[in-house]
Amino acid sequence: MEFDVVIVGAGPAGLAAAIRLKQLAAKAGKDLSVVVLEKGSEVGAHILSGAVIDPIGLDTLIPDWREQGSPLKTEVTEDRFYYLWKIGGFRVPNFVMPPLMSNHGCYIGSLGSLCRWLGEQAEKAGVEIYPGIAVTEAIFGASGAVEGVITGDKGVARDGSHKDSYTPGIALRGKYTLIAEGARGSLSKQLIRKLGLDAESGPQKFGIGLKELWEVPADKHRPGLVQHTMGWPLDDKTGGGSFLYHFGERLVSVGFVVHLDYANPYLNPFKEFQRAKTHPLIRQHLEGGKRIAYGARALTEGGWQAIPKLVFPGGALIGCAAGFMNVPRIKGSHNAVLSGIMAAEAAFAAIEAGQSGDVLEAYPARVKSSGMAKELRKVRNVKPLWSRFGTIAGVMLGGIDMWLNTILPFLPHTLKHQKPDYAGLAKASEARPIEYEKPDGKLTFDILSSVFLSGTNHEEDQPVHLRLTDPSIPIEKNLPDYAEPAQRYCPAQVYEVVEDGAKVRFQINAQNCVHCKTCDVKDPAQNITWVPPEGGDGPNYVNM
């Protein structure tokens, strides 16, 4: 199948690029074929975010989005930020926060629902969207340019044989291919490594974000309230914090982010999240309510200095596949939309000029001169300072640095990230085990009941999509050295160390996987590779 532009991923970046391409084609009176491939069962099924959304991207893409039935309805009315200790906390005055940190003018909602709406706008414009299609590899031409992608086979049994339902993958070729898979996408990872796109950037940094959606009593609902915390239950050396947003009809999004450069192999991000909800400043918003959804996803945290080369012959990285998230703002969807727009404009101009398969140099040039770049440069040192000096000192220094870069935007100093996240893990012998309380089933919960709420489903008779380079490493190396951290950092209990008589074995429960990609990032031996399962498998998030 041949198209003018092939887009991998129906998130905010991919859909924005598709819509912008069609807008430009309509304005020029041209016929442009655009296809979007999405591995989720439907658009939005794999989308998870807080989300407090800066509307600058939507304002640029669809200026009248408010009047066109967008699901974003709740504007931020109150903005709170706390530093917590176990039974109390300190509210940081809003006036000491850099202007960039204000959420006023932003909207609270579901990024998944917004993507469903953007998908509808794209289809109205003539974009072809194919959900349930997993892309497994890129097509390289004789010159080395990317000429499209290949989708995964369906109907392959666990032993590799073909079932009666077997359907081979197909090749989709395009003049340009835009990669919009989100954080730690499998194809993005392949291309970055194969083409050396990160040769001049620092190592990318990641966090894991866990989220629950609650329905609360009407008397507790405060639409427009945004609350962020840092500190307890994490120690000062571990970065992260909670978010809590009131929106919609009696809905509250509550979640927790843990930076994946943490050192203690006994840390369990899911259980830290459950513990955080017991704090009075969070508990009071949820008591009497009902949890209705759960999910988790890795997020990029490296910032400006960790963005890889954005273009390669025949294509480009956009959105969180490139790493445009603003860490202190905990926002990336607006930049994803903006990057999709800029890449689309570069691709359209090239096609109009009769080009194909070359390097879209106009795209990174536009990025560097954009407001998005100015925003990311202002906060570029926050993550390195937090990692080096801990939460209290690091965040204070980061705040000072943001103010300096706001007042004096020409300051050149940029701190580099020292090492990839997996390299920060300490040996188990050097760490203290963490005791976690048992869940009460009302405010705090176990992992398996949580995974049930994610709607996750995988065809069991298929090859395991979590691949071990060396199957012996989990038990022979990671277990004695790190107490095998996979059994704790995974938010879906995919990995277990199981006693089998006198022996222990490493068990992979692939059907539990919520496609967060944390294992691909944090495994200390870099022995786990996440590859796409059959298209349509995985979580089925609703309103997340």
Side-chain angles (χ1 to χ4, degrees), residues 18 59 89 192 208 235 333 381 410 425 483 485:
D59 289 343
I192 289 170
I208 177 175
D235 62 34
S333 57
N381 293 319
F410 51 81
L425 204 63

Side-chain angles (χ1 to χ4, degrees), residues 157 264 298 303 344 372 452 490:
N264 190 340
M372 178 176 74
F452 176 79
C490 175

Side-chain angles (χ1 to χ4, degrees), residues 3 10 21 30 61 63 68 143 156 172 198 210 218 235 250 265 276 293 355 384 425-426 429 455 465 472 494 514 530:
F3 300 87
L21 283 163
K30 299 295 179 65
L61 182 68
Q68 292 297 320
S143 66
V156 179
L172 296 99
D198 59 351
L210 306 102
D235 62 34
R250 298 193 294 118
Q355 298 165 213
L425 204 63
S429 59
H465 68 278
S472 70
V494 168
V514 294
W530 190 98

Side-chain angles (χ1 to χ4, degrees), residues 27-368:
K27 186 176 181 180
K30 299 295 179 65
D31 184 21
L32 191 79
S33 57
V34 181
V35 65
V36 178
L37 306 173
E38 167 56 40
K39 67 181 176 65
S41 61
E42 63 177 357
V43 174
H46 287 180
I47 299 292
L48 182 143
S49 182
V52 174
I53 297 173
D54 185 329
I56 186 172
L58 286 174
D59 289 343
T60 305
L61 182 68
I62 307 174
D64 62 346
W65 61 270
R66 294 170 182 82
E67 293 76 42
Q68 292 297 320
S70 159
L72 288 186
K73 304 292 185 185
T74 307
E75 193 167 355
V76 173
T77 58
E78 189 174 359
D79 207 357
R80 301 177 182 177
F81 196 93
Y82 292 92
Y83 178 82
L84 302 183
W85 46 89
K86 189 170 184 179
I87 57 172
F90 168 74
R91 182 173 178 181
V92 180
N94 286 18
F95 71 85
V96 306
M97 306 288 283
L100 188 65
M101 296 297 291
S102 173
N103 285 301
H104 289 282
C106 296
Y107 287 78
I108 308 170
S110 159
L111 186 60
S113 296
L114 179 62
C115 285
R116 287 182 175 89
W117 180 79
L118 286 173
E120 293 170 2
Q121 308 314 303
E123 289 183 322
K124 287 177 183 177
V127 176
E128 295 183 50
I129 300 179
Y130 297 136
I133 302 293
V135 172
T136 56
E137 58 185 297
I139 300 171
F140 288 91
S143 66
V146 172
E147 296 183 349
V149 296
I150 298 174
T151 67
D153 297 346
K154 288 194 172 188
V156 179
R158 184 175 288 252
D159 63 5
S161 62
H162 293 176
K163 297 184 285 188
D164 292 341
S165 59
Y166 174 74
T167 305
I170 59 174
L172 296 99
R173 296 180 179 271
K175 295 174 182 175
Y176 295 100
T177 302
L178 304 182
I179 310 301
E181 297 176 297
R184 197 65 167 195
S186 54
L187 186 59
S188 314
K189 180 182 172 184
Q190 291 176 35
L191 291 170
I192 289 170
R193 288 186 175 178
K194 180 179 178 67
L195 302 177
L197 302 181
D198 59 351
E200 297 180 7
S201 63
Q204 185 58 268
K205 307 290 284 184
F206 296 89
I208 177 175
L210 306 102
K211 175 183 173 180
E212 293 175 353
L213 185 64
W214 284 65
E215 189 176 69
V216 300
D219 62 346
K220 287 199 171 188
H221 195 228
R222 301 187 61 178
L225 173 63
V226 168
Q227 177 177 295
H228 293 105
T229 75
M230 59 184 177
W232 189 88
L234 300 175
D235 62 34
D236 190 62
K237 295 180 180 179
T238 305
S242 78
F243 61 84
L244 187 143
Y245 311 140
H246 288 245
F247 74 104
E249 297 295 325
R250 298 193 294 118
L251 296 176
V252 174
S253 289
V254 60
F256 200 75
V257 174
V258 177
H259 299 180
L260 287 177
D261 57 2
Y262 68 82
N264 190 340
Y266 292 106
L267 186 143
N268 186 315
F270 175 84
K271 292 183 178 180
E272 293 291 344
F273 174 30
Q274 300 307 307
R275 177 182 284 179
K277 289 187 295 177
T278 66
H279 192 281
L281 285 170
I282 300 174
R283 175 194 290 267
Q284 64 181 337
H285 295 272
L286 305 176
E287 283 183 324
K290 178 184 178 182
R291 187 179 69 149
I292 57 177
Y294 165 81
R297 185 71 171 91
L299 48 143
T300 52
E301 293 187 340
W304 182 251
Q305 58 270 58
I307 295 172
K309 187 177 180 181
L310 296 175
V311 289
F312 46 87
L317 302 175
I318 62 177
C320 283
F324 293 126
M325 178 175 163
N326 183 322
V327 175
R329 291 190 79 193
I330 324 178
K331 289 178 180 57
S333 57
H334 65 299
N335 287 337
V337 170
L338 292 171
S339 69
I341 292 171
M342 288 184 276
E345 290 172 348
F348 183 78
I351 292 170
E352 278 286 87
Q355 298 165 213
S356 175
D358 59 328
V359 178
L360 295 171
E361 296 289 3
Y363 167 48
R366 282 284 311 279
V367 168
K368 288 179 182 178

